[in-house]
Amino acid sequence: MNFFDHLAGNYAEVLALTGEHVVLVLQGLVLASLIGIPLAVLTYRAELPRSVVLAVAGVFLTIPSYALFGLLIAPLGLGTAPAVTALTMYALLPVVRNTVVGLRGVDPAVIESARGMGLSRRQILRQIELPLAWPVIITGLRVATQLLLGIAAISAAVNGPGLGNLIFQGLSSAGTPFAVYLALEGILGIVVLAVLADLAFAALNRVSTSRGLRVD
Amino acid sequence: MAIAPAPTEPAGGTGAAGPGPRPGGARRLLRYAGAPAALLAVLAALYLYVGAHDLDRIERRSLNAEYLLSRTWQHLGLSLVVVVLILAIAVPLGVALTRPGARRFSGPVLALANVGQAIPTIGLIVLFAVAFVSWGIHTIAITAIVLYGILPVLRNTMVGLDQVSPAVIESARGMGLGRAQVLWRVELPLAVPVMLAGIRTALVLTVGTVALATFIGAGGLGDVISNGISSNRTVVLVTGSVLVAVLALAVDWLAGIVEDVLRPRGI
């Protein structure tokens, strides 16, 4: 029995776990965006709050994944809850940092002229700053997605969902001929998702970036 | 408007691809003294938390000084070996790939390394463990973690060397320096800040990844976390997690200072 025979027999589970993996990463990504983008918008003009937010998000990202999952089990128990929380915390830095960098990268002269045209602060943010910062924000989301796809594999160690379960099944069947196949199925599933996510973000960037900003 | 480059590294660590500005007086003091003070406070809180518990026999098996120290030393030892290997492989490779003759390989190598980065570390460790059963567990753990940490150092070495202005190299050549002299006295010093940022990322990544060595029985502080999960003892779980987190944050802090000190003057 080679790898492809094994995959053919196991594809239903691989697909189900791939689905769980995608949902898990999306949950973390959406939560991090809902928290991180408003946080960046609120703090990007004020030096102290901005550096505090970035420092805290930096500390989150520095905490090793197994330790963060472990710390979150204490209040949240095993399963999906600590996994989603940890992924949200990891995604915060790329999301917040890129939003801040994007918003701060907007040419002050552009904002000045918008104000001269009579736009309010809120209008400038919605119509000028966010659209101009959008490509950078998308890049942050893309980086966060790549990060989360890998880290989400650890969630299986705390009885969470996703493709990590195949990797750990491989580990627990070490010594059998299927061990390598199981681990490979988990790994390749994640690599394929990473490649697909990159393509999806490239497409999203093209479709959603303001027309005047496109390079081509 | 130019599209800003991604300011974040796709893999852990607070170190960005580029070096940050040198922090000024009060800020620097806060950064240098604030982090260890906070980490010591966390450790003190952990000590009080564990001390307030009436430990049962299972908890005492993990939470005694001898066990914790042995796992910490294992963790540091594994991390040190891994980091030395990463530097010994990635820096020379980065230098070689930016030399004129080999430049055409640099694109494919970086592309391969980027795809490799998508492989989750735990996947690599487990795959090696089940595929190379005859290797020792430490060899397996070290090989997998080294492979994973090479990318940030390799990439930043190449980026650092590539950003050195050709005009600077040209004038150094014009002053009569040989190729090797230009590399040692001009290119590498100018590339150091970017290289250090990559090394810092790799360091923090390594300390965190070594915590996963426990899954294949290679020891380290991850053992304490695993003991806590498998025996369903929160106090053990929290102790292991806090120790691993504090270790990673301490290494990041230390690497930040080294980064500031080693950055050549005048840059």
Coordinates of all heavy atoms in Angstrom, one line a residue, chain B residues 64-117:
Chain B
N64 N 9.2 20.0 41.1 CA 10.3 20.1 42.0 C 11.5 20.7 41.3 O 11.6 20.6 40.1 CB 10.6 18.7 42.7 CG 11.1 17.7 41.6 OD1 12.2 17.8 41.2 ND2 10.2 16.8 41.2
A65 N 12.3 21.3 42.1 CA 13.4 22.1 41.6 C 14.3 21.3 40.6 O 14.7 21.7 39.6 CB 14.3 22.7 42.7
E66 N 14.6 20.0 41.1 CA 15.5 19.2 40.3 C 14.9 18.9 38.9 O 15.6 19.1 37.9 CB 15.7 17.9 41.0 CG 16.9 17.1 40.6 CD 16.9 15.7 41.2 OE1 16.2 15.5 42.3 OE2 17.4 14.8 40.6
Y67 N 13.7 18.5 38.8 CA 13.0 18.2 37.6 C 13.0 19.4 36.7 O 13.3 19.4 35.5 CB 11.6 17.7 37.8 CG 10.9 17.2 36.5 CD1 11.2 16.0 36.0 CD2 10.0 18.0 35.9 CE1 10.5 15.6 34.8 CE2 9.3 17.6 34.8 CZ 9.6 16.4 34.2 OH 8.9 16.0 33.1
L68 N 12.5 20.5 37.2 CA 12.4 21.8 36.4 C 13.7 22.2 35.9 O 13.8 22.6 34.8 CB 11.7 22.9 37.3 CG 10.2 22.6 37.6 CD1 9.6 23.7 38.4 CD2 9.4 22.5 36.3
L69 N 14.7 22.2 36.8 CA 16.1 22.6 36.3 C 16.6 21.7 35.2 O 17.1 22.2 34.2 CB 17.0 22.6 37.5 CG 17.0 23.9 38.3 CD1 18.0 23.8 39.5 CD2 17.4 25.1 37.5
S70 N 16.4 20.4 35.3 CA 16.9 19.5 34.3 C 16.2 19.8 33.0 O 16.8 19.8 31.9 CB 16.7 18.0 34.7 OG 15.4 17.6 34.5
R71 N 14.9 20.0 33.0 CA 14.2 20.3 31.8 C 14.6 21.6 31.2 O 14.7 21.8 30.0 CB 12.6 20.3 32.0 CG 12.0 19.1 32.5 CD 12.3 17.9 31.5 NE 12.9 16.8 32.3 CZ 12.8 15.6 32.0 NH1 12.2 15.2 31.0 NH2 13.4 14.7 32.8
T72 N 14.9 22.6 32.1 CA 15.3 23.9 31.6 C 16.7 23.8 30.9 O 16.9 24.3 29.8 CB 15.4 24.9 32.7 OG1 14.2 24.9 33.4 CG2 15.7 26.3 32.2
W73 N 17.6 23.0 31.5 CA 18.9 22.9 30.9 C 18.8 22.1 29.6 O 19.5 22.5 28.6 CB 19.9 22.1 31.8 CG 20.4 23.0 32.9 CD1 20.3 22.8 34.3 CD2 21.1 24.3 32.8 NE1 20.8 23.9 35.0 CE2 21.3 24.8 34.1 CE3 21.5 25.0 31.7 CZ2 22.0 26.0 34.3 CZ3 22.1 26.2 31.9 CH2 22.4 26.7 33.2
Q74 N 18.0 21.1 29.5 CA 17.7 20.3 28.3 C 17.3 21.3 27.2 O 17.7 21.3 26.1 CB 16.6 19.3 28.5 CG 17.1 17.9 28.9 CD 15.9 17.0 29.1 OE1 14.8 17.4 29.0 NE2 16.2 15.7 29.3
H75 N 16.3 22.1 27.6 CA 15.7 23.1 26.7 C 16.8 24.0 26.1 O 16.9 24.2 24.9 CB 14.6 23.9 27.4 CG 13.6 24.5 26.5 ND1 12.3 24.0 26.4 CD2 13.7 25.5 25.6 CE1 11.7 24.7 25.5 NE2 12.4 25.6 25.0
L76 N 17.6 24.6 27.0 CA 18.6 25.5 26.6 C 19.7 24.8 25.8 O 20.1 25.4 24.8 CB 19.2 26.2 27.8 CG 18.3 27.2 28.6 CD1 19.0 27.7 29.8 CD2 17.9 28.3 27.7
G77 N 20.0 23.6 26.2 CA 21.1 22.9 25.4 C 20.6 22.6 24.0 O 21.3 22.9 23.0
L78 N 19.4 22.1 23.9 CA 18.9 21.8 22.5 C 18.8 23.1 21.7 O 19.2 23.1 20.5 CB 17.4 21.2 22.6 CG 17.3 19.7 22.9 CD1 15.8 19.4 23.1 CD2 17.8 18.9 21.7
S79 N 18.3 24.2 22.3 CA 18.2 25.4 21.6 C 19.6 25.9 21.1 O 19.7 26.4 20.0 CB 17.6 26.5 22.5 OG 16.3 26.1 23.0
L80 N 20.6 25.8 22.0 CA 21.9 26.3 21.6 C 22.5 25.5 20.4 O 23.0 26.1 19.5 CB 22.8 26.1 22.8 CG 24.2 26.7 22.7 CD1 24.1 28.2 22.7 CD2 25.2 26.3 23.8
V81 N 22.3 24.2 20.5 CA 22.8 23.3 19.4 C 22.1 23.7 18.1 O 22.8 23.9 17.0 CB 22.6 21.8 19.7 CG1 23.0 21.0 18.4 CG2 23.4 21.4 20.9
V82 N 20.8 23.9 18.2 CA 20.0 24.3 17.0 C 20.5 25.6 16.4 O 20.7 25.7 15.2 CB 18.5 24.3 17.3 CG1 17.8 25.0 16.2 CG2 18.0 22.9 17.6
V83 N 20.6 26.6 17.3 CA 21.0 27.9 16.8 C 22.4 27.9 16.2 O 22.6 28.6 15.1 CB 20.9 29.0 18.0 CG1 21.5 30.3 17.6 CG2 19.4 29.2 18.3
V84 N 23.3 27.3 16.8 CA 24.7 27.2 16.3 C 24.6 26.6 14.9 O 25.3 27.1 13.9 CB 25.6 26.4 17.2 CG1 26.9 26.1 16.5 CG2 25.9 27.2 18.5
L85 N 23.9 25.5 14.7 CA 23.8 24.8 13.4 C 23.1 25.7 12.4 O 23.6 25.8 11.2 CB 23.0 23.5 13.5 CG 23.8 22.4 14.2 CD1 22.8 21.2 14.4 CD2 24.9 21.9 13.3
I86 N 22.1 26.4 12.8 CA 21.4 27.4 11.9 C 22.4 28.4 11.4 O 22.5 28.7 10.2 CB 20.2 28.0 12.6 CG1 19.1 27.1 12.8 CG2 19.7 29.2 11.7 CD1 17.9 27.6 13.6
L87 N 23.1 29.0 12.3 CA 24.1 30.1 11.9 C 25.1 29.5 11.0 O 25.5 30.1 9.9 CB 24.7 30.7 13.1 CG 23.8 31.5 14.0 CD1 24.6 32.1 15.1 CD2 23.1 32.6 13.2
A88 N 25.6 28.3 11.3 CA 26.7 27.7 10.5 C 26.3 27.3 9.1 O 27.1 27.3 8.2 CB 27.2 26.4 11.3
I89 N 25.0 27.0 9.0 CA 24.5 26.7 7.6 C 24.0 27.9 6.9 O 24.3 28.2 5.7 CB 23.3 25.7 7.7 CG1 23.8 24.4 8.3 CG2 22.7 25.4 6.4 CD1 22.7 23.4 8.7
A90 N 23.1 28.7 7.5 CA 22.4 29.8 6.8 C 23.3 31.0 6.4 O 23.1 31.5 5.3 CB 21.2 30.3 7.7
V91 N 24.2 31.4 7.3 CA 25.0 32.6 6.9 C 25.9 32.3 5.7 O 25.9 33.0 4.8 CB 25.8 33.1 8.2 CG1 26.7 34.2 7.8 CG2 24.8 33.6 9.2
P92 N 26.7 31.2 5.8 CA 27.6 30.9 4.6 C 26.8 30.7 3.3 O 27.1 31.2 2.3 CB 28.3 29.6 5.0 CG 28.3 29.6 6.5 CD 27.0 30.3 6.9
L93 N 25.6 30.0 3.5 CA 24.7 29.8 2.3 C 24.2 31.1 1.8 O 24.2 31.3 0.5 CB 23.6 28.9 2.8 CG 22.7 28.3 1.6 CD1 23.5 27.5 0.7 CD2 21.6 27.5 2.2
G94 N 23.8 32.0 2.7 CA 23.3 33.3 2.2 C 24.4 34.1 1.5 O 24.2 34.7 0.5
V95 N 25.7 34.0 2.0 CA 26.8 34.7 1.4 C 27.0 34.1 0.0 O 27.1 34.8 -1.0 CB 28.0 34.6 2.3 CG1 29.3 35.1 1.5 CG2 27.9 35.4 3.6
A96 N 27.1 32.8 0.0 CA 27.4 32.1 -1.3 C 26.3 32.4 -2.3 O 26.7 32.7 -3.5 CB 27.4 30.6 -1.1
L97 N 25.0 32.5 -1.9 CA 24.0 32.7 -2.9 C 23.9 34.1 -3.4 O 23.2 34.4 -4.4 CB 22.6 32.3 -2.3 CG 22.4 30.8 -2.2 CD1 21.1 30.5 -1.5 CD2 22.3 30.2 -3.6
T98 N 24.6 35.0 -2.8 CA 24.6 36.4 -3.3 C 25.9 36.7 -4.0 O 26.1 37.8 -4.5 CB 24.5 37.4 -2.1 OG1 25.4 37.1 -1.1 CG2 23.1 37.4 -1.6
R99 N 26.8 35.7 -4.2 CA 28.0 36.0 -5.0 C 27.6 36.0 -6.5 O 26.6 35.3 -6.8 CB 29.1 34.9 -4.7 CG 29.7 34.8 -3.3 CD 30.2 36.2 -2.8 NE 29.1 36.9 -2.1 CZ 29.2 38.1 -1.7 NH1 30.2 38.9 -2.1 NH2 28.2 38.7 -1.0
P100 N 28.3 36.7 -7.3 CA 27.9 36.9 -8.7 C 27.6 35.6 -9.4 O 26.5 35.5 -10.0 CB 29.1 37.6 -9.3 CG 29.7 38.3 -8.2 CD 29.5 37.5 -6.9
G101 N 28.4 34.6 -9.3 CA 28.2 33.3 -10.0 C 27.0 32.6 -9.6 O 26.4 31.9 -10.4
A102 N 26.6 32.7 -8.3 CA 25.5 31.8 -7.8 C 24.2 32.5 -7.7 O 23.2 32.0 -7.3 CB 25.9 31.3 -6.4
R103 N 24.2 33.8 -8.1 CA 23.0 34.6 -7.9 C 21.7 34.0 -8.5 O 20.6 34.1 -8.0 CB 23.2 36.0 -8.4 CG 22.5 37.1 -7.6 CD 23.0 38.4 -8.1 NE 24.1 38.9 -7.3 CZ 23.8 39.6 -6.2 NH1 22.6 39.9 -5.8 NH2 24.9 40.0 -5.4
R104 N 21.9 33.3 -9.7 CA 20.7 32.8 -10.4 C 20.1 31.7 -9.6 O 18.9 31.4 -9.8 CB 21.1 32.3 -11.8 CG 22.1 31.2 -11.8 CD 22.8 31.2 -13.1 NE 24.2 30.6 -13.0 CZ 24.4 29.4 -13.3 NH1 23.5 28.6 -13.7 NH2 25.7 28.9 -13.1
F105 N 20.8 31.1 -8.6 CA 20.1 30.0 -7.7 C 19.3 30.7 -6.6 O 18.6 30.0 -5.9 CB 21.2 29.1 -7.1 CG 22.0 28.4 -8.2 CD1 23.3 28.6 -8.3 CD2 21.3 27.4 -9.0 CE1 24.1 27.9 -9.3 CE2 22.1 26.8 -10.0 CZ 23.4 27.0 -10.1
S106 N 19.6 31.9 -6.3 CA 19.0 32.5 -5.1 C 17.5 32.5 -5.2 O 16.8 32.3 -4.2 CB 19.5 33.9 -4.8 OG 19.1 34.8 -5.8
G107 N 16.9 32.8 -6.3 CA 15.4 32.8 -6.5 C 14.8 31.5 -6.1 O 14.0 31.4 -5.2
P108 N 15.2 30.4 -6.8 CA 14.7 29.1 -6.6 C 14.9 28.7 -5.1 O 14.0 28.1 -4.5 CB 15.5 28.2 -7.5 CG 15.9 29.1 -8.6 CD 16.1 30.4 -8.0
V109 N 16.1 28.9 -4.5 CA 16.3 28.5 -3.1 C 15.3 29.2 -2.2 O 14.7 28.6 -1.3 CB 17.8 28.8 -2.7 CG1 17.9 28.6 -1.2 CG2 18.7 27.9 -3.5
L110 N 15.1 30.5 -2.4 CA 14.2 31.3 -1.5 C 12.8 30.8 -1.7 O 12.0 30.7 -0.7 CB 14.3 32.8 -1.8 CG 15.4 33.5 -1.0 CD1 15.2 35.0 -1.3 CD2 15.3 33.2 0.4
A111 N 12.4 30.5 -3.0 CA 11.1 30.0 -3.2 C 10.8 28.7 -2.5 O 9.8 28.5 -1.8 CB 10.8 29.9 -4.7
L112 N 11.8 27.8 -2.6 CA 11.7 26.5 -2.0 C 11.6 26.7 -0.4 O 10.8 26.1 0.2 CB 13.0 25.7 -2.3 CG 13.0 24.2 -1.8 CD1 12.0 23.4 -2.6 CD2 14.4 23.6 -1.8
A113 N 12.5 27.6 0.1 CA 12.4 27.8 1.5 C 11.1 28.4 2.0 O 10.6 28.1 3.1 CB 13.6 28.8 1.9
N114 N 10.5 29.3 1.1 CA 9.2 29.8 1.5 C 8.1 28.8 1.5 O 7.3 28.8 2.4 CB 8.8 30.9 0.5 CG 9.4 32.3 0.9 OD1 9.5 32.6 2.1 ND2 9.8 33.1 0.0
V115 N 8.1 27.9 0.6 CA 7.1 26.8 0.6 C 7.4 25.9 1.8 O 6.4 25.6 2.5 CB 7.2 26.0 -0.7 CG1 6.3 24.8 -0.6 CG2 6.8 26.8 -1.9
G116 N 8.6 25.7 2.1 CA 9.0 24.9 3.3 C 8.5 25.5 4.6 O 8.1 24.8 5.5
Q117 N 8.4 26.8 4.6 CA 8.0 27.5 5.8 C 6.5 27.2 6.1 O 6.1 27.4 7.2 CB 8.2 29.0 5.6 CG 8.1 29.8 6.9 CD 9.4 29.7 7.7 OE1 10.3 29.0 7.3 NE2 9.4 30.3 8.9

